[in-house]
Amino acid sequence: MKLKTKLGLAFAALLLLTMIVAGMGIARLAMLNAAAQEVATQWLPSIRVLGDVRATANQMRRAEAEHLLAGGPNEMEQVEKRLEELKPVLEAKLAAFEPLATAPEQRAGLQSIKAAQAVWLDTQAKLLKLSRGGEYTSEQAKELFRGPSRHAFNTITTEIGKVVDFSEKASVVASTAASQAYASARWWLLCITAFALVAAVALSVLLVRSITSQLGGEPGEAAELARRVADGDLSTAIDVRDGDSSSLVAALRRMQDSLSSIVNGVRQNADSVATASGQISQGNSDLSSRTEEQASALQQTAASMKQLASTVKQNADNAQQGNELALAASTVAVRG
């Protein structure tokens, strides 16, 4: 495998481990956030709204007692007016609880509260009517206040208490789940982080060993050998491990052997050229000597040729004189 591929796979593995750690952390944080959101947006608001419902019902219950104890019609009207103002408040509080009632127990409790509210308000109307009747009906009103009215009010508060208890238990369960999610997230993150560290150390060791194996020695050794070869030093001994044929050091060893072979071949060829040059120089010297001898012989031949030409000329002159003498003799002979 190429070094580039190994480095890419090693960094990809580290990135994968980092993503796993991050993903696990995000998932566990999401669980914590869900539990916290459940407590903050469902159970606690429902408990608060039901507390407001109970407080409003208590105000209406006290208003009933104030109506029974009122000193005159004006005071009763004021109490009735306050009751009329509290009724829509109670309805609004119950309406605010409806979107928070997501659990079946909460929805069932809300229906029970509404049913008890209807009974209580009906009993309250009868109570106020009897309370306005004066002394003739005051005892009946008190009996209704202490009996059916109290029972209907207690039913509402009991149902509210049940839903509140359920919401509190659910919030405790959600809080416990959040604590468990935190403990689980911490344990998982520690385990995965430890695994990631071990894997990173293992990958780094394997990568270093792989790079060292491909180099065939220590990281600086190959560079030093390459520098010496570049400087022309082919005498350095390069040790190659057994079975190592593909590392950088092995390649440097083959390069050194190849360069040594080339240098030896060049040296032998240079010696051959030097020997041939010496022979050629000796032949040139011999040729020059023979050329000089031939030139001397040619000079001697030229001198002889010059003497020969002089002799021939003399012979020609003598022949011409002889010819003239012969002509003269011939003339004399003719005359004779």
Side-chain angles (χ1 to χ4, degrees):
M1 189 182 297
K2 294 182 179 179
L3 181 59
K4 177 176 68 175
T5 306
K6 292 181 180 179
L7 290 174
L9 290 177
F11 283 111
L14 291 178
L15 289 176
L16 179 62
L17 290 174
T18 304
M19 291 176 63
I20 290 174
V21 173
M24 181 61 67
I26 291 173
R28 295 297 171 174
L29 287 176
M31 293 176 62
L32 288 174
N33 181 63
Q37 289 293 326
E38 184 180 1
V39 172
T41 62
Q42 181 177 354
W43 305 120
L44 291 182
S46 64
I47 294 173
R48 179 179 57 80
V49 172
L50 289 175
D52 293 340
V53 172
R54 181 184 290 173
T56 304
N58 287 330
Q59 292 177 7
M60 295 177 69
R61 181 63 176 170
R62 287 196 300 270
E64 291 177 356
E66 291 176 2
H67 195 278
L68 290 175
L69 298 175
N74 292 332
E75 190 174 349
M76 288 183 178
E77 288 180 0
Q78 292 178 0
V79 172
E80 291 176 359
K81 183 178 179 181
R82 189 162 70 249
L83 284 172
E84 291 299 324
E85 292 175 352
L86 290 173
K87 285 180 181 179
V89 175
L90 181 63
E91 293 291 338
K93 297 296 183 181
L94 289 175
F97 178 70
E98 287 187 6
L100 299 174
T102 56
E105 292 82 357
Q106 290 178 313
R107 291 193 292 269
L110 178 61
Q111 297 301 322
S112 300
I113 292 171
K114 287 183 176 180
Q117 177 194 10
V119 175
W120 179 48
L121 292 179
D122 184 62
T123 305
Q124 184 182 89
K126 294 178 181 180
L127 176 63
L128 295 178
K129 186 177 180 181
L130 289 174
S131 178
R132 271 188 169 277
E135 59 180 355
Y136 299 103
T137 57
S138 60
E139 291 297 328
Q140 296 178 1
K142 292 178 182 179
E143 291 294 332
L144 182 61
F145 178 77
R146 289 191 294 264
S149 179
R150 176 185 291 176
H151 178 71
F153 175 75
N154 289 337
T155 302
I156 292 177
T157 56
T158 301
E159 294 298 331
I160 292 174
K162 289 180 180 179
V163 179
V164 170
D165 290 340
F166 171 79
S167 298
E168 289 179 348
K169 292 178 181 179
S171 65
V172 171
V173 171
S175 178
T176 303
S179 299
Q180 293 176 352
Y182 165 73
S184 177
R186 182 178 60 184
W187 186 84
W188 276 104
L189 285 176
L190 288 175
C191 292
I192 294 177
T193 302
F195 174 76
L197 289 176
V198 172
V201 172
L203 285 174
S204 62
V205 171
L206 290 176
L207 189 61
V208 170
R209 288 183 178 178
S210 176
I211 294 174
T212 305
S213 176
Q214 285 189 340
L215 292 176
E218 296 300 325
E221 182 181 355
E224 179 64 20
L225 292 174
R227 186 187 63 79
R228 291 182 180 181
V229 172
D231 292 339
D233 184 7
L234 301 179
S235 61
T236 303
I238 299 178
D239 297 328
V240 180
R241 293 173 296 188
D242 295 336
D244 185 5
S245 61
S246 60
S247 66
L248 179 60
V249 173
L252 289 174
R253 174 69 177 274
R254 290 194 298 271
M255 182 180 70
Q256 184 187 45
D257 294 340
S258 178
L259 289 176
S260 298
S261 177
I262 293 173
V263 169
N264 290 330
V266 170
R267 181 180 296 172
Q268 292 176 1
N269 293 332
D271 292 340
S272 299
V273 170
T275 302
S277 298
Q279 294 176 355
I280 292 173
S281 177
Q282 183 65 32
N284 289 333
S285 298
D286 295 340
L287 179 61
S288 176
S289 177
R290 289 193 295 269
T291 302
E292 290 177 356
E293 293 176 356
Q294 290 178 359
S296 176
L298 287 174
Q299 288 179 356
Q300 294 177 1
T301 303
S304 299
M305 292 298 293
K306 186 175 181 180
Q307 293 177 359
L308 179 62
S310 177
T311 303
V312 170
K313 184 178 180 180
Q314 291 178 359
N315 291 330
D317 292 339
N318 293 328
Q320 185 176 3
Q321 292 177 2
N323 185 32
E324 289 177 355
L325 293 175
L327 288 175
S330 176
T331 303
V332 173
V334 170
R335 288 179 180 177

Short mmCIF file of all heavy atoms in Angstrom, two decimals, residues 114-154:
data_model
loop_
_atom_site.label_atom_id
_atom_site.label_comp_id
_atom_site.label_asym_id
_atom_site.label_seq_id
_atom_site.Cartn_x
_atom_site.Cartn_y
_atom_site.Cartn_z
N LYS A 114 -63.04 18.80 35.80
CA LYS A 114 -64.14 19.53 35.17
C LYS A 114 -65.49 19.04 35.66
O LYS A 114 -66.42 19.84 35.92
CB LYS A 114 -64.04 19.41 33.65
CG LYS A 114 -62.90 20.22 33.04
CD LYS A 114 -62.92 20.10 31.53
CE LYS A 114 -61.85 20.99 30.90
NZ LYS A 114 -61.86 20.90 29.41
N ALA A 115 -65.61 17.72 35.81
CA ALA A 115 -66.88 17.18 36.31
C ALA A 115 -67.15 17.63 37.74
O ALA A 115 -68.26 18.07 38.08
CB ALA A 115 -66.86 15.66 36.23
N ALA A 116 -66.14 17.57 38.60
CA ALA A 116 -66.29 18.04 39.98
C ALA A 116 -66.54 19.53 40.02
O ALA A 116 -67.31 20.04 40.88
CB ALA A 116 -65.05 17.68 40.78
N GLN A 117 -65.94 20.29 39.08
CA GLN A 117 -66.17 21.73 39.03
C GLN A 117 -67.62 22.03 38.71
O GLN A 117 -68.23 22.95 39.31
CB GLN A 117 -65.25 22.36 37.97
CG GLN A 117 -65.46 23.86 37.78
CD GLN A 117 -64.80 24.37 36.51
OE1 GLN A 117 -64.34 23.58 35.69
NE2 GLN A 117 -64.77 25.69 36.35
N ALA A 118 -68.19 21.29 37.76
CA ALA A 118 -69.59 21.53 37.40
C ALA A 118 -70.52 21.27 38.59
O ALA A 118 -71.43 22.07 38.87
CB ALA A 118 -69.96 20.64 36.21
N VAL A 119 -70.23 20.18 39.32
CA VAL A 119 -71.05 19.88 40.50
C VAL A 119 -70.87 20.97 41.55
O VAL A 119 -71.85 21.44 42.18
CB VAL A 119 -70.67 18.50 41.06
CG1 VAL A 119 -71.42 18.23 42.37
CG2 VAL A 119 -70.99 17.41 40.04
N TRP A 120 -69.63 21.39 41.74
CA TRP A 120 -69.36 22.40 42.78
C TRP A 120 -70.01 23.73 42.43
O TRP A 120 -70.61 24.39 43.29
CB TRP A 120 -67.85 22.55 42.94
CG TRP A 120 -67.47 23.58 43.96
CD1 TRP A 120 -67.97 23.71 45.22
CD2 TRP A 120 -66.51 24.63 43.80
NE1 TRP A 120 -67.40 24.76 45.88
CE2 TRP A 120 -66.46 25.35 45.01
CE3 TRP A 120 -65.67 25.01 42.76
CZ2 TRP A 120 -65.64 26.44 45.21
CZ3 TRP A 120 -64.83 26.07 42.96
CH2 TRP A 120 -64.81 26.80 44.16
N LEU A 121 -69.91 24.18 41.17
CA LEU A 121 -70.51 25.46 40.79
C LEU A 121 -72.04 25.40 40.90
O LEU A 121 -72.69 26.40 41.29
CB LEU A 121 -70.08 25.83 39.37
CG LEU A 121 -68.60 26.18 39.19
CD1 LEU A 121 -68.30 26.50 37.74
CD2 LEU A 121 -68.20 27.35 40.08
N ASP A 122 -72.60 24.25 40.58
CA ASP A 122 -74.05 24.11 40.73
C ASP A 122 -74.44 24.20 42.22
O ASP A 122 -75.42 24.89 42.59
CB ASP A 122 -74.49 22.78 40.14
CG ASP A 122 -76.01 22.63 40.18
OD1 ASP A 122 -76.70 23.45 39.53
OD2 ASP A 122 -76.49 21.69 40.86
N THR A 123 -73.65 23.52 43.05
CA THR A 123 -73.90 23.60 44.50
C THR A 123 -73.66 25.01 45.00
O THR A 123 -74.38 25.50 45.90
CB THR A 123 -72.98 22.61 45.23
OG1 THR A 123 -73.15 21.31 44.68
CG2 THR A 123 -73.31 22.57 46.71
N GLN A 124 -72.68 25.70 44.41
CA GLN A 124 -72.39 27.07 44.83
C GLN A 124 -73.55 28.00 44.51
O GLN A 124 -73.90 28.88 45.32
CB GLN A 124 -71.11 27.54 44.13
CG GLN A 124 -70.64 28.92 44.57
CD GLN A 124 -69.40 29.35 43.81
OE1 GLN A 124 -69.53 29.96 42.74
NE2 GLN A 124 -68.23 29.03 44.33
N ALA A 125 -74.19 27.82 43.36
CA ALA A 125 -75.34 28.66 43.00
C ALA A 125 -76.47 28.45 44.01
O ALA A 125 -77.12 29.42 44.45
CB ALA A 125 -75.79 28.32 41.58
N LYS A 126 -76.68 27.18 44.38
CA LYS A 126 -77.72 26.92 45.39
C LYS A 126 -77.35 27.53 46.72
O LYS A 126 -78.19 28.07 47.45
CB LYS A 126 -77.90 25.42 45.53
CG LYS A 126 -78.45 24.74 44.29
CD LYS A 126 -78.55 23.23 44.52
CE LYS A 126 -79.08 22.53 43.26
NZ LYS A 126 -79.17 21.07 43.45
N LEU A 127 -76.06 27.46 47.05
CA LEU A 127 -75.60 28.00 48.32
C LEU A 127 -75.80 29.51 48.39
O LEU A 127 -76.28 30.05 49.40
CB LEU A 127 -74.12 27.65 48.51
CG LEU A 127 -73.44 28.22 49.76
CD1 LEU A 127 -74.10 27.65 51.03
CD2 LEU A 127 -71.95 27.91 49.75
N LEU A 128 -75.45 30.19 47.31
CA LEU A 128 -75.63 31.64 47.30
C LEU A 128 -77.09 32.02 47.37
O LEU A 128 -77.46 33.03 48.02
CB LEU A 128 -74.98 32.22 46.03
CG LEU A 128 -73.47 32.08 45.90
CD1 LEU A 128 -72.98 32.65 44.58
CD2 LEU A 128 -72.76 32.75 47.07
N LYS A 129 -77.93 31.25 46.73
CA LYS A 129 -79.37 31.53 46.77
C LYS A 129 -79.92 31.36 48.18
O LYS A 129 -80.69 32.20 48.66
CB LYS A 129 -80.08 30.62 45.79
CG LYS A 129 -81.57 30.92 45.66
CD LYS A 129 -82.18 30.02 44.61
CE LYS A 129 -83.68 30.31 44.46
NZ LYS A 129 -84.32 29.43 43.45
N LEU A 130 -79.53 30.27 48.84
CA LEU A 130 -79.98 30.07 50.21
C LEU A 130 -79.40 31.12 51.14
O LEU A 130 -80.04 31.55 52.11
CB LEU A 130 -79.57 28.67 50.69
CG LEU A 130 -80.32 27.49 50.07
CD1 LEU A 130 -79.71 26.17 50.52
CD2 LEU A 130 -81.80 27.53 50.44
N SER A 131 -78.11 31.53 50.89
CA SER A 131 -77.50 32.53 51.74
C SER A 131 -78.19 33.86 51.63
O SER A 131 -78.26 34.63 52.60
CB SER A 131 -76.02 32.68 51.37
OG SER A 131 -75.41 33.67 52.16
N ARG A 132 -78.78 34.17 50.48
CA ARG A 132 -79.51 35.43 50.31
C ARG A 132 -80.90 35.35 50.93
O ARG A 132 -81.58 36.37 51.06
CB ARG A 132 -79.65 35.75 48.82
CG ARG A 132 -78.48 36.56 48.29
CD ARG A 132 -78.76 37.00 46.87
NE ARG A 132 -77.81 37.98 46.42
CZ ARG A 132 -77.87 39.28 46.66
NH1 ARG A 132 -78.85 39.76 47.38
NH2 ARG A 132 -76.94 40.11 46.20
N GLY A 133 -81.31 34.18 51.33
CA GLY A 133 -82.67 34.04 51.88
C GLY A 133 -82.82 34.58 53.28
O GLY A 133 -83.94 34.61 53.82
N GLY A 134 -81.73 34.96 53.91
CA GLY A 134 -81.84 35.54 55.25
C GLY A 134 -81.80 34.47 56.32
O GLY A 134 -81.34 33.33 56.11
N GLU A 135 -82.36 34.83 57.51
CA GLU A 135 -82.27 33.93 58.65
C GLU A 135 -83.12 32.69 58.49
O GLU A 135 -82.89 31.69 59.16
CB GLU A 135 -82.68 34.68 59.92
CG GLU A 135 -84.09 35.23 59.85
CD GLU A 135 -84.46 35.97 61.13
OE1 GLU A 135 -83.63 35.94 62.07
OE2 GLU A 135 -85.53 36.57 61.17
N TYR A 136 -84.14 32.75 57.63
CA TYR A 136 -84.97 31.57 57.45
C TYR A 136 -84.21 30.43 56.76
O TYR A 136 -84.51 29.26 56.95
CB TYR A 136 -86.23 31.93 56.64
CG TYR A 136 -87.09 32.97 57.31
CD1 TYR A 136 -87.07 34.30 56.89
CD2 TYR A 136 -87.90 32.62 58.39
CE1 TYR A 136 -87.83 35.27 57.51
CE2 TYR A 136 -88.68 33.60 59.03
CZ TYR A 136 -88.65 34.91 58.59
OH TYR A 136 -89.40 35.86 59.22
N THR A 137 -83.23 30.77 55.91
CA THR A 137 -82.50 29.73 55.16
C THR A 137 -81.02 29.68 55.52
O THR A 137 -80.24 28.96 54.88
CB THR A 137 -82.61 30.01 53.65
OG1 THR A 137 -82.10 31.33 53.38
CG2 THR A 137 -84.04 29.90 53.19
N SER A 138 -80.60 30.44 56.51
CA SER A 138 -79.18 30.49 56.84
C SER A 138 -78.67 29.13 57.33
O SER A 138 -77.56 28.71 56.98
CB SER A 138 -78.92 31.57 57.89
OG SER A 138 -79.66 31.27 59.06
N GLU A 139 -79.48 28.46 58.10
CA GLU A 139 -79.06 27.15 58.58
C GLU A 139 -78.95 26.15 57.44
O GLU A 139 -78.03 25.33 57.40
CB GLU A 139 -80.03 26.66 59.65
CG GLU A 139 -79.98 27.44 60.95
CD GLU A 139 -78.64 27.34 61.61
OE1 GLU A 139 -77.97 26.28 61.49
OE2 GLU A 139 -78.20 28.32 62.24
N GLN A 140 -79.89 26.21 56.51
CA GLN A 140 -79.82 25.32 55.34
C GLN A 140 -78.58 25.62 54.49
O GLN A 140 -77.92 24.72 53.98
CB GLN A 140 -81.09 25.48 54.50
CG GLN A 140 -82.36 25.05 55.21
CD GLN A 140 -83.58 25.27 54.36
OE1 GLN A 140 -83.48 25.73 53.21
NE2 GLN A 140 -84.76 24.96 54.91
N ALA A 141 -78.28 26.92 54.39
CA ALA A 141 -77.09 27.30 53.62
C ALA A 141 -75.83 26.79 54.29
O ALA A 141 -74.90 26.30 53.63
CB ALA A 141 -77.05 28.82 53.46
N LYS A 142 -75.79 26.90 55.62
CA LYS A 142 -74.62 26.41 56.34
C LYS A 142 -74.48 24.90 56.19
O LYS A 142 -73.37 24.37 56.03
CB LYS A 142 -74.71 26.80 57.80
CG LYS A 142 -74.56 28.29 58.04
CD LYS A 142 -74.71 28.61 59.53
CE LYS A 142 -74.60 30.12 59.76
NZ LYS A 142 -74.76 30.46 61.20
N GLU A 143 -75.64 24.20 56.26
CA GLU A 143 -75.58 22.75 56.07
C GLU A 143 -75.08 22.41 54.66
O GLU A 143 -74.28 21.47 54.48
CB GLU A 143 -76.97 22.14 56.32
CG GLU A 143 -77.42 22.19 57.76
CD GLU A 143 -76.56 21.31 58.64
OE1 GLU A 143 -76.01 20.31 58.13
OE2 GLU A 143 -76.40 21.63 59.83
N LEU A 144 -75.57 23.16 53.68
CA LEU A 144 -75.11 22.93 52.30
C LEU A 144 -73.63 23.26 52.16
O LEU A 144 -72.89 22.56 51.46
CB LEU A 144 -75.94 23.79 51.34
CG LEU A 144 -75.62 23.62 49.84
CD1 LEU A 144 -75.89 22.19 49.39
CD2 LEU A 144 -76.45 24.62 49.02
N PHE A 145 -73.14 24.31 52.85
CA PHE A 145 -71.74 24.70 52.79
C PHE A 145 -70.85 23.62 53.42
O PHE A 145 -69.78 23.31 52.89
CB PHE A 145 -71.56 26.04 53.52
CG PHE A 145 -70.14 26.53 53.56
CD1 PHE A 145 -69.55 27.11 52.45
CD2 PHE A 145 -69.40 26.41 54.73
CE1 PHE A 145 -68.25 27.55 52.50
CE2 PHE A 145 -68.09 26.84 54.77
CZ PHE A 145 -67.51 27.42 53.66
N ARG A 146 -71.31 23.11 54.60
CA ARG A 146 -70.52 22.10 55.29
C ARG A 146 -70.67 20.71 54.69
O ARG A 146 -69.83 19.85 54.90
CB ARG A 146 -70.91 22.06 56.78
CG ARG A 146 -70.45 23.27 57.56
CD ARG A 146 -70.64 23.03 59.05
NE ARG A 146 -72.03 22.93 59.40
CZ ARG A 146 -72.79 23.92 59.86
NH1 ARG A 146 -72.26 25.13 60.01
NH2 ARG A 146 -74.06 23.73 60.17
N GLY A 147 -71.72 20.49 53.90
CA GLY A 147 -71.97 19.17 53.35
C GLY A 147 -71.63 19.04 51.88
O GLY A 147 -70.46 18.88 51.49
N PRO A 148 -72.65 19.10 50.99
CA PRO A 148 -72.41 18.89 49.56
C PRO A 148 -71.37 19.84 48.95
O PRO A 148 -70.57 19.46 48.10
CB PRO A 148 -73.78 19.08 48.94
CG PRO A 148 -74.73 18.76 50.03
CD PRO A 148 -74.09 19.24 51.30
N SER A 149 -71.41 21.12 49.37
CA SER A 149 -70.45 22.09 48.80
C SER A 149 -69.02 21.72 49.17
O SER A 149 -68.12 21.76 48.34
CB SER A 149 -70.80 23.50 49.30
OG SER A 149 -69.87 24.43 48.77
N ARG A 150 -68.84 21.40 50.46
CA ARG A 150 -67.49 20.98 50.88
C ARG A 150 -67.05 19.72 50.16
O ARG A 150 -65.88 19.61 49.73
CB ARG A 150 -67.48 20.76 52.39
CG ARG A 150 -66.15 20.22 52.90
CD ARG A 150 -66.22 19.89 54.37
NE ARG A 150 -66.35 21.10 55.16
CZ ARG A 150 -66.52 21.10 56.49
NH1 ARG A 150 -66.61 19.95 57.13
NH2 ARG A 150 -66.62 22.23 57.15
N HIS A 151 -67.99 18.78 50.00
CA HIS A 151 -67.66 17.53 49.31
C HIS A 151 -67.25 17.79 47.85
O HIS A 151 -66.24 17.24 47.35
CB HIS A 151 -68.84 16.58 49.38
CG HIS A 151 -68.61 15.29 48.66
ND1 HIS A 151 -67.75 14.31 49.12
CD2 HIS A 151 -69.12 14.83 47.47
CE1 HIS A 151 -67.73 13.31 48.27
NE2 HIS A 151 -68.57 13.60 47.26
N ALA A 152 -68.02 18.66 47.17
CA ALA A 152 -67.69 18.98 45.78
C ALA A 152 -66.35 19.70 45.69
O ALA A 152 -65.52 19.41 44.81
CB ALA A 152 -68.80 19.83 45.16
N PHE A 153 -66.09 20.63 46.62
CA PHE A 153 -64.81 21.35 46.62
C PHE A 153 -63.67 20.39 46.91
O PHE A 153 -62.61 20.45 46.26
CB PHE A 153 -64.87 22.47 47.66
CG PHE A 153 -63.57 23.19 47.82
CD1 PHE A 153 -63.13 24.10 46.87
CD2 PHE A 153 -62.76 22.95 48.93
CE1 PHE A 153 -61.92 24.75 47.02
CE2 PHE A 153 -61.55 23.59 49.08
CZ PHE A 153 -61.12 24.50 48.11
N ASN A 154 -63.88 19.52 47.92
CA ASN A 154 -62.83 18.56 48.25
C ASN A 154 -62.56 17.61 47.08
O ASN A 154 -61.42 17.17 46.86
CB ASN A 154 -63.22 17.76 49.48
CG ASN A 154 -63.17 18.60 50.75
OD1 ASN A 154 -62.47 19.61 50.79
ND2 ASN A 154 -63.92 18.20 51.78
#
